[in-house]
Amino acid sequence: MKSIQLFASDPAPEAEIPPGPSVVGIDLSLSATGLASSMGWCRVIGYEDKKNPITKLPHGERLVHMRRVLDAVTEAIGRPDLAVIEAAALSRSGGGAHERGWLWWRIFERLTDAEIPVGLMSPNQRILYATGKGSGPKTAVVDAVARRWPQWLTGGNDNAADAVTLMAAGRDWLLAPIAGMPKAHRAAVEKATWPEVKQ
């Protein structure tokens, strides 16, 4: 395995991070899970051996690396007041769906076992919150994040940008938004699935 942490950034120099609840956005993937915290940091964690993709490994070895990713992601998340995960895209096909499902449920299980409230946003809701439109290319979300939340240095990484969007939506739901958002964007917060906790 080449790497666990693929990308990391702390807040932009002299960045003003609005105070409020601790929220972590989580865009899950075995090869590049995006994480963003309301404390100002971003991380991308995953298996990155393109010559030996995780889905082509023998099952025992595959599970070893999947667990390594799971443990690294869990450790990076920490104990926020709220975690916001991109909901599983059940219509998404292609290699690795079985393994992605395993990671999604294991992370959800660890969060709920730790009594961390979990919010869920669909991919379309995430895009809507960032751009005001329910669909669009990854670059549109990257550009929107750089413009609206420049304190979070994503380096143009779409996984980190997706995680920033999820985190910002969680802060918005907790009535402590990172920045003012237009009504069209906030419709995504109203449509998302939130935990049954007092705001």
Side-chain angles (χ1 to χ4, degrees):
M1 182 165 182
K2 287 184 177 178
S3 182
I4 281 283
Q5 185 159 281
L6 310 175
F7 172 84
S9 75
D10 290 322
E14 300 178 11
E16 290 187 19
I17 306 298
S22 171
V23 179
V24 173
I26 307 166
D27 178 32
L28 284 169
S29 160
L30 281 164
S31 59
T33 288
L35 300 171
S37 167
S38 58
M39 305 305 288
W41 57 258
C42 295
R43 303 283 184 271
V44 178
I45 292 170
Y47 176 94
E48 191 196 41
D49 185 344
K50 292 179 181 174
K51 291 182 180 177
N52 300 289
I54 202 164
T55 55
K56 302 294 184 183
L57 298 175
H59 282 73
E61 190 178 343
R62 189 181 312 181
L63 184 58
V64 167
H65 290 301
M66 288 164 61
R67 284 175 172 160
R68 287 187 69 198
V69 172
L70 171 67
D71 290 342
V73 169
T74 303
E75 182 179 352
I77 291 169
R79 293 194 58 85
D81 299 316
L82 174 70
V84 186
I85 305 178
E86 182 168 290
L90 299 177
S91 62
R92 192 169 161 195
S93 60
H98 190 53
E99 291 81 1
R100 285 195 309 271
W102 177 91
L103 179 65
W104 195 97
W105 279 110
R106 291 304 311 274
I107 289 290
F108 185 84
E109 176 185 43
R110 287 192 175 185
L111 292 170
T112 54
D113 284 352
E115 298 183 347
I116 297 169
V118 179
L120 303 174
M121 293 191 86
S122 72
N124 288 350
Q125 290 163 354
R126 172 184 50 75
I127 296 168
L128 176 61
Y129 190 72
T131 69
K133 299 177 182 178
S135 63
K138 290 180 176 293
T139 52
V141 174
V142 171
D143 292 345
V145 168
R147 194 171 57 254
R148 289 191 180 277
W149 307 293
Q151 308 97 308
W152 281 264
L153 302 177
T154 67
N157 184 290
D158 59 272
N159 303 292
D162 288 349
V164 171
T165 304
L166 295 166
M167 175 276 300
R171 280 284 299 257
D172 202 333
W173 178 71
L174 289 169
L175 306 180
I178 300 294
M181 297 295 285
K183 186 176 179 180
H185 297 243
R186 288 208 76 256
V189 175
E190 295 164 11
K191 294 175 182 177
T193 301
W194 300 105
E196 293 181 8
V197 296
K198 272 192 171 183
Q199 298 187 45

